[in-house]
Amino acid sequence: MTKPIEGFSKLTKNQKIDWLTTNYTADPEAAKILLERYWNVNEDVQQLHDEFIENTITNYYLPLGIAPNFLINDKLYAIPMAIEESSVVAAASKAAKFWLDKGGFKTEVLGTEKIGQVHFMYHGSKEHLTSFFEQVRSKLLSDASSITKNMEKRGGGVNNIELRDKTDALDNYYQLHCTFETLDAMGANFINSCLEQFAKTFKAEAQLFSLFTEDEKAIEVVMSILSNYVPNCLVRAEVSCPVTELKNGNTETSQEFAEKMVQAVNIAQVEPHRAVTHNKGIMNGIDAVVLATGNDFRAVEAGIHAYAAKDGQYTSLTHASIENGIFRFWIELPMALGTIGGLTSLHPLVKLAMELLGKPSAKELMQIVAVAGLAQNFAAVRSLVTTGIQEGHMKMHLLNILNQLGATDEEKKILTHHFKKHPATHSAVVEAFEKLRNSK
Ligand code: MEV
């Protein structure tokens, strides 16, 4: 049995790989070759990747695709998407093209407020705590000035600090609920540094507050951390057109198609099982752009799903309506993104993605990402209410199956042609592949 290892992080990369492959793989030499094959040939680039995280042994590649023809507020974008799932980029591109001659996507940032909290326990009089907070408020800000001064110079900083009584939910629990403007930075480091300083000042000043009893002075800070739930860092994206323009190439009339789209969205609004899958499709677009632009997709995911449940039931992030002959389809969702700092200035492909998008501000990136989500949802729901999802999916999946089967380029060509006319289910592909191989 493999023994635990001490000091793994201190080993060199090759030593880590030796230990790992020897202890956990059947063929260490083959595993080593595989890991090395994915190292970047450029040593500087590889070192950069090695240093993004700890204990790096190789790089894990995802395809980076492009969805062109996105008209957003009258500007054309080719959107980079990093994603492993087939058909997502194709669907985004299709939706972009669909809306290109219908005015494209219109977007708006509705707010940019970020949030962080100092969570603490306090045993004592609420009035004393309130007086203390009022007295200490300006010192909280002035003690953090070395952290905030650069952000303030650029027009951002701490917007507000509020004392919140949460004792109804948990005995003795209070918060400093703080709001921030972090401009083009996602702001995690800035916010967390401010919060930790607020906590330090808050505790220290409590010792000096004359109204506090000894028990009241013992404010117990539990943690200081940003919140990934940012309901006031909000973006909206929309498409609309006369119903008559919604030609779909299928048998339905435009009106029937528009009505089905609205019904599908309405179902996702009232039925959480459907809403989760509906929103998953939205996240296919959102995560792919968030990842390609070096942002934190887990933070974005967490915040968006919380927003989808903000009224007590998990619901659709998109909305659709038909009014006066106009079909309207829109999304409203929160997200905290950065276009400076973090990976955005380090990862070579992230830098390129930013360049492709015209070096967007965080606000512009919010709008692009929201559009990617809306487009993805439009494409998915459109397929669902017309041909069904499998037709497009299986065609896109065909190459993956053929690659798994080890098909040659020639075999791929023959079978891709064959499956233009036949449903490309997994078993049908395997059968056709075997037949073709055996016929030789
Ligand atoms: C698959 O990744 C996403 C969909 O299931 C989304 C949806 O059902 O709306 C197609």
Side-chain angles (χ1 to χ4, degrees), residues 6 70 108 137 232 236 244 251 259 266 362 368-369 402 438:
E6 286 285 335
F70 270 98
E108 193 187 350
R137 198 180 176 287
N232 297 323
R236 183 189 152 96
T244 47
T251 47
E259 281 170 12
N266 287 346
I368 295 165
V369 171
L402 291 175
N438 294 335

Short mmCIF file of all heavy atoms in Angstrom, two decimals, residues 6 70 108 137 232 236 244 251 259 266 362 368-369 402 438:
data_model
loop_
_atom_site.label_atom_id
_atom_site.label_comp_id
_atom_site.label_asym_id
_atom_site.label_seq_id
_atom_site.Cartn_x
_atom_site.Cartn_y
_atom_site.Cartn_z
N GLU A 6 5.58 12.96 3.16
CA GLU A 6 5.87 14.23 3.86
C GLU A 6 6.57 15.14 2.88
O GLU A 6 7.43 14.68 2.10
CB GLU A 6 6.84 13.98 5.02
CG GLU A 6 6.25 13.30 6.23
CD GLU A 6 5.38 14.23 7.06
OE1 GLU A 6 5.62 15.46 6.99
OE2 GLU A 6 4.47 13.73 7.74
N PHE A 70 -21.15 38.03 -33.14
CA PHE A 70 -22.00 38.54 -32.06
C PHE A 70 -22.10 40.06 -32.17
O PHE A 70 -21.11 40.77 -31.96
CB PHE A 70 -21.41 38.18 -30.69
CG PHE A 70 -21.91 36.87 -30.17
CD1 PHE A 70 -21.16 35.72 -30.31
CD2 PHE A 70 -23.14 36.78 -29.53
CE1 PHE A 70 -21.62 34.50 -29.84
CE2 PHE A 70 -23.61 35.58 -29.06
CZ PHE A 70 -22.85 34.43 -29.21
N GLU A 108 -27.03 46.04 -20.86
CA GLU A 108 -26.93 47.16 -19.93
C GLU A 108 -26.41 46.63 -18.59
O GLU A 108 -26.87 45.58 -18.13
CB GLU A 108 -28.36 47.71 -19.74
CG GLU A 108 -28.46 49.04 -19.09
CD GLU A 108 -29.93 49.39 -18.81
OE1 GLU A 108 -30.84 48.68 -19.29
OE2 GLU A 108 -30.14 50.35 -18.08
N ARG A 137 -16.84 53.78 12.99
CA ARG A 137 -17.02 53.68 11.53
C ARG A 137 -15.93 54.41 10.73
O ARG A 137 -15.31 53.85 9.84
CB ARG A 137 -18.41 54.22 11.17
CG ARG A 137 -18.88 53.80 9.83
CD ARG A 137 -20.25 54.35 9.50
NE ARG A 137 -20.60 53.97 8.16
CZ ARG A 137 -20.06 54.48 7.07
NH1 ARG A 137 -19.16 55.45 7.17
NH2 ARG A 137 -20.40 54.05 5.88
N ASN A 232 -26.38 43.11 -6.61
CA ASN A 232 -26.38 44.47 -7.17
C ASN A 232 -25.20 44.71 -8.10
O ASN A 232 -24.87 45.86 -8.42
CB ASN A 232 -26.38 45.52 -6.05
CG ASN A 232 -27.65 45.40 -5.23
OD1 ASN A 232 -28.73 45.14 -5.78
ND2 ASN A 232 -27.52 45.55 -3.92
N ARG A 236 -27.84 43.00 -17.73
CA ARG A 236 -29.03 42.54 -18.46
C ARG A 236 -28.67 42.49 -19.93
O ARG A 236 -27.96 43.36 -20.46
CB ARG A 236 -30.15 43.56 -18.23
CG ARG A 236 -31.45 43.22 -18.84
CD ARG A 236 -32.40 44.42 -18.73
NE ARG A 236 -33.34 44.36 -19.83
CZ ARG A 236 -34.55 43.83 -19.76
NH1 ARG A 236 -34.99 43.37 -18.61
NH2 ARG A 236 -35.33 43.78 -20.80
N THR A 244 -42.90 37.89 -36.69
CA THR A 244 -42.89 37.47 -38.10
C THR A 244 -41.48 37.22 -38.63
O THR A 244 -41.29 36.52 -39.60
CB THR A 244 -43.54 38.55 -38.98
OG1 THR A 244 -42.99 39.82 -38.60
CG2 THR A 244 -45.06 38.57 -38.81
N THR A 251 -41.20 23.33 -39.42
CA THR A 251 -42.57 23.31 -39.93
C THR A 251 -43.47 24.35 -39.27
O THR A 251 -44.45 24.80 -39.85
CB THR A 251 -43.19 21.91 -39.73
OG1 THR A 251 -42.89 21.51 -38.40
CG2 THR A 251 -42.65 20.93 -40.74
N GLU A 259 -44.38 31.21 -29.59
CA GLU A 259 -45.18 30.79 -28.43
C GLU A 259 -44.53 29.63 -27.70
O GLU A 259 -44.51 29.58 -26.46
CB GLU A 259 -46.60 30.42 -28.88
CG GLU A 259 -47.44 31.66 -29.11
CD GLU A 259 -48.78 31.37 -29.78
OE1 GLU A 259 -49.17 30.18 -29.85
OE2 GLU A 259 -49.42 32.33 -30.23
N ASN A 266 -41.37 29.80 -19.67
CA ASN A 266 -42.31 29.84 -18.55
C ASN A 266 -42.24 28.56 -17.71
O ASN A 266 -42.35 28.60 -16.49
CB ASN A 266 -43.75 30.03 -19.05
CG ASN A 266 -43.97 31.46 -19.55
OD1 ASN A 266 -43.14 32.33 -19.28
ND2 ASN A 266 -45.04 31.69 -20.28
N ALA A 362 -14.35 45.79 -17.15
CA ALA A 362 -15.11 44.74 -16.46
C ALA A 362 -16.60 44.85 -16.83
O ALA A 362 -17.28 43.84 -17.01
CB ALA A 362 -14.91 44.85 -14.95
N ILE A 368 -20.71 41.06 -22.36
CA ILE A 368 -20.37 40.02 -23.34
C ILE A 368 -20.73 38.64 -22.77
O ILE A 368 -21.31 37.79 -23.44
CB ILE A 368 -18.86 40.10 -23.70
CG1 ILE A 368 -18.56 41.42 -24.41
CG2 ILE A 368 -18.42 38.90 -24.53
CD1 ILE A 368 -17.07 41.78 -24.50
N VAL A 369 -20.39 38.45 -21.50
CA VAL A 369 -20.65 37.15 -20.86
C VAL A 369 -22.17 36.91 -20.75
O VAL A 369 -22.65 35.79 -21.02
CB VAL A 369 -19.96 37.08 -19.47
CG1 VAL A 369 -20.41 35.85 -18.71
CG2 VAL A 369 -18.45 37.09 -19.63
N LEU A 402 -15.84 8.94 -32.74
CA LEU A 402 -14.89 8.39 -33.72
C LEU A 402 -13.46 8.47 -33.19
O LEU A 402 -12.67 7.56 -33.39
CB LEU A 402 -15.03 9.11 -35.06
CG LEU A 402 -16.36 8.83 -35.80
CD1 LEU A 402 -16.46 9.68 -37.05
CD2 LEU A 402 -16.50 7.35 -36.13
N ASN A 438 -14.15 -3.58 -40.86
CA ASN A 438 -14.11 -4.99 -41.23
C ASN A 438 -14.23 -5.19 -42.74
O ASN A 438 -13.90 -6.26 -43.26
CB ASN A 438 -15.20 -5.77 -40.50
CG ASN A 438 -14.91 -5.78 -39.00
OD1 ASN A 438 -13.75 -5.65 -38.61
ND2 ASN A 438 -15.93 -5.89 -38.18
#
